[in-house]
Amino acid sequence: VITKDQQAFMNVILDAYNRHQIPPDVAKKLLQEQYSAEENFLLLTEMATSQVQVLVEFTKHIPGFLSLDHEDQIALLKGSAVEASFLRSAQVFSSKMPNGHTEVLEERIRKSGISEEFMTPMFNFYKTIGELHMVEEEQALLTAITIMTPDRPYVKDQQAVERLQEPMLDVLRKLCALHHPHEPQYFARLLGRLTELRTLNHYHAEMLTSWRMN
Amino acid sequence: PASNLGLEDIIRKALMGNLEE
């Protein structure tokens, strides 16, 4: 059973998650079909920057985040920005978009100059996230949990972060049981995606280097 | 331009500012 307090806690996170999305004018540019390689690079960079800004705004609303040490706040965001962005992009990809949008978006990313060896695990991740059919509360909580990961580099007070992450894991576990009563492994599958995200994060620096070179 | 800013710069700026105001 999800208690009233947990429901309120979850609503705060969900509301912040829904309110902080990439601005429509930035997102719209992605669907304009004519672009040179250089314009594509700049646009994807603009998207990435916007995504980080939106992520920070969302994170400020995660209960307790602003009470953490300021440098720890930065360490958490730095350590999770790539993973949280992959998670958000995966959700965009698995959401219902108007006809043809998914293809335009996919083609833009495939033509971005990122090497194929990084592209495959990224699109595989998008696919496995899509197959989970998460409800929006699960998406919001999973993103918040990714950000509030205590063992990121340079986090000094890991226990304080753990104290904020635990109640979110608890609500997510209950939500999974409620929404997916016939899939007892669902919560474990979600956590498994977080491990996959860590691998993507690990390759991200190499991916950026290859992208810049291309 | 944003493309010249590092991740940490973007995070610090966003943490300091308040886009909602």
Side-chain angles (χ1 to χ4, degrees), chain A residues 12-142:
Chain A
V12 170
I13 295 172
L14 178 62
D15 181 57
Y17 185 77
N18 284 337
R19 271 190 299 127
H20 299 108
Q21 310 221 13
I22 288 180
D25 56 320
V26 180
K28 220 163 80 181
K29 286 191 205 167
L30 272 180
L31 296 167
Q32 288 160 2
E33 287 187 50
Q34 295 301 316
Y35 50 86
S36 67
E38 194 187 350
E39 279 166 350
N40 196 30
F41 179 82
L42 286 173
L43 184 54
L44 288 170
T45 309
E46 189 186 344
M47 277 295 290
T49 307
S50 177
Q51 201 154 25
V52 173
Q53 288 164 337
V54 163
L55 177 75
V56 174
E57 289 306 312
F58 164 63
T59 307
K60 285 179 183 175
H61 292 83
I62 298 175
F65 177 80
L66 290 175
S67 69
L68 294 172
D69 172 86
H70 188 66
E71 290 306 309
D72 277 359
Q73 293 178 10
I74 290 160
L76 286 178
L77 281 161
K78 249 187 111 170
S80 65
V82 167
E83 294 179 26
S85 300
F86 272 131
L87 204 48
R88 179 77 87 157
S89 312
Q91 283 149 9
V92 170
F93 261 92
S94 47
S95 64
K96 270 215 180 323
M97 283 193 267
N99 264 351
H101 285 195
T102 317
E103 290 75 10
V104 174
L105 203 51
E106 181 164 338
E107 189 177 279
R108 191 179 270 279
I109 296 170
R110 286 197 184 275
K111 284 186 179 166
S112 64
I114 300 169
S115 11
E116 194 54 43
E117 58 174 317
F118 300 119
M119 203 77 79
T120 307
M122 189 169 80
F123 279 104
N124 277 346
F125 175 73
Y126 290 171
K127 192 167 156 263
T128 54
I129 285 288
E131 286 164 357
L132 284 167
H133 303 291
M134 278 189 266
V135 297
E136 57 176 6
E137 288 90 344
E138 290 163 352
Q139 293 174 10
L141 278 167
L142 196 63

Side-chain angles (χ1 to χ4, degrees), chain A residues 136-196:
Chain A
E136 57 176 6
E137 288 90 344
E138 290 163 352
Q139 293 174 10
L141 278 167
L142 196 63
T143 307
I145 288 166
T146 304
I147 298 162
M148 292 298 201
T149 298
D151 62 346
R152 299 292 187 195
Y154 310 113
V155 172
K156 287 168 285 179
D157 193 351
Q158 295 198 352
Q159 279 190 334
V161 181
E162 233 172 76
R163 279 196 293 273
L164 297 179
Q165 195 196 38
E166 264 166 23
M168 296 194 285
L169 282 165
D170 198 29
V171 180
L172 182 60
R173 188 178 46 79
K174 286 184 174 184
L175 256 187
C176 291
L178 266 176
H179 287 292
H180 314 272
H182 305 298
E183 293 173 85
Q185 295 302 316
Y186 192 83
F187 179 60
R189 283 172 68 201
L190 286 194
L191 298 187
R193 295 287 76 78
L194 296 188
T195 313
E196 200 177 333

